[in-house]
Amino acid sequence: MNSSFVVLPGGTITTPKGFQAGGLHAGLKKTERRDLGILYCEVPAAAAAVYTLNVFQAAPLKVTRDSIAAGAGKLQALVVNSGNANACTGEQGEADARAMRHLTADALSIAETLVGVASTGVIGEPLPMAKVERGIAGLPAALAANSGDDFCEAIMTTDLVQKSLCVRVETSAGPVHIAGAAKGSGMIHPNMATMLGFITTDALVTSADLQGLLSEATDASFNMITVDGDTSTNDMVVAMASGLAGGSELHPGHPDWKAFADGFGYVAEYLAKAIARDGEGATKLVEVHVAGAVNEAAARAIAKTVVGSSLVKSACYGADANWGRIVAAVGRAGQPVNPDTVDVRLGDFLVLEGSRPVPFDDPAATEYLKGTEVQIVVNLHMGTASATAWGCDLTYEYVRINAAYRT
């Protein structure tokens, strides 16, 4: 734990000053679980966002991007639905996303350009707008400062658990808070995934500086996870800063910026790891740390290749200490690797040194791999750069879930 911030037990996306949230069941899912959520700030908040790199970008992403641009980097509300991605739905899909923005703005009596839209669920099906319209009409009554959990439930699809965290950062002017909520379980791969992430803070920070921080944090967190190698059409992470904590404006030259950035990065990493841990059908979190790379880009590429390997993931599920699969993934990552200098560890078990196998306690390593967290460490001995990626094992359950996703 970094001493510059503390985790607040029970803290939610609404803990930072000025934020409220809510969720309700609008009938977009077959279950009775909440499927429409709202995140609201009592003042226009500095906003930043990152989006999927998939060429097929869903309509809500376009609308949110337009809102942030038209609103001079400000958002005041985000409306989010689960159960329907509103992706690959043509002109009607974009019209529906804009209608969601308009309806939400009217319900909250704010400008349309201060509303962002996010959707997640099945691709290629039109939104049932009659249900959406009725649901949005009920969102203002669902808003509350203690409804962060309702919001978390409303954004979930195949997720098994809610994913949220809040930290407090001590600054020279007093405490500021950073909180996050996310969803994601399948169709998860670096360069964003079928995930939605929302980060709130009451720090005073400009949209430009918040964008820089979000992009940096995303590269080290959300872009370093994988479940199944598929990058979605709907991924988006949005950050909002109310500025209501008071104090001077935080910026990269401010003496408190590092503490703020550390707390922000920790929230992003926690949410990213929570998504990987909750991968569809997963039984364990897999962490791959690559050290000794020639540069950070190489370290990241190798770590993501190893953690995304179906063979490595299968070996983790089967508790098979088959380090050959790890080496094969390292070698096909397309990055500089000296085939004579690689070390590999499974937890505390050194299994390869200088690219040569070494004796290790196989039964004990198998027991280690049966745990709920597996760490793989690869040292290339070529430089000083390092990176960490997160994923999960590949199980029979993943196939069962995705073979019947629409049913």
Side-chain angles (χ1 to χ4, degrees), residues 191-207:
N191 298 326
M192 306 297 292
T194 185
M195 51 153 289
L196 298 175
F198 307 95
I199 299 177
T200 60
T201 179
D202 47 21
L204 181 61
V205 58
T206 67
S207 176

Side-chain angles (χ1 to χ4, degrees), residues 24-51:
L24 53 79
H25 177 68
L28 307 181
K29 294 178 182 174
K30 296 177 181 178
T31 67
E32 292 299 315
R33 199 163 69 175
R34 292 178 177 87
D35 51 22
L36 188 66
I38 183 76
L39 180 63
Y40 174 75
C41 186
E42 64 185 54
V43 297
V50 291
Y51 309 93

Side-chain angles (χ1 to χ4, degrees), residues 55-63 84-99 122-127 129 233-234:
V55 172
F56 292 96
Q57 293 199 348
L61 277 67
K62 300 174 185 178
V63 172
N84 185 305
N86 193 14
C88 299
T89 45
E91 294 181 0
Q92 185 59 53
E94 188 164 335
D96 290 342
R98 294 189 182 282
V122 177
I123 295 170
E125 295 186 359
L127 274 171
M129 286 305 294
T233 55
N234 287 60

Side-chain angles (χ1 to χ4, degrees), residues 58-82:
L61 277 67
K62 300 174 185 178
V63 172
T64 299
R65 186 185 285 110
D66 288 350
S67 286
I68 293 176
K74 299 280 188 178
L75 286 179
Q76 195 166 356
L78 279 159
V79 60
V80 189
N81 76 272
S82 57

Side-chain angles (χ1 to χ4, degrees), residues 6 32 65 143 168 188 199 241 250 278 285-286 292 319 406:
V6 294
E32 292 299 315
R65 186 185 285 110
L143 276 174
R168 183 181 68 239
I188 301 291
I199 299 177
L250 296 180
D278 192 30
L285 175 71
V286 180
R406 293 197 306 160

Side-chain angles (χ1 to χ4, degrees), residues 12-13 152 163-166 178-182 198-200 267 271:
T12 73
I13 192 85
C152 283
K163 304 166 181 68
S164 67
L165 184 77
C166 181
I178 307 164
F198 307 95
I199 299 177
T200 60
V267 170
L271 295 175

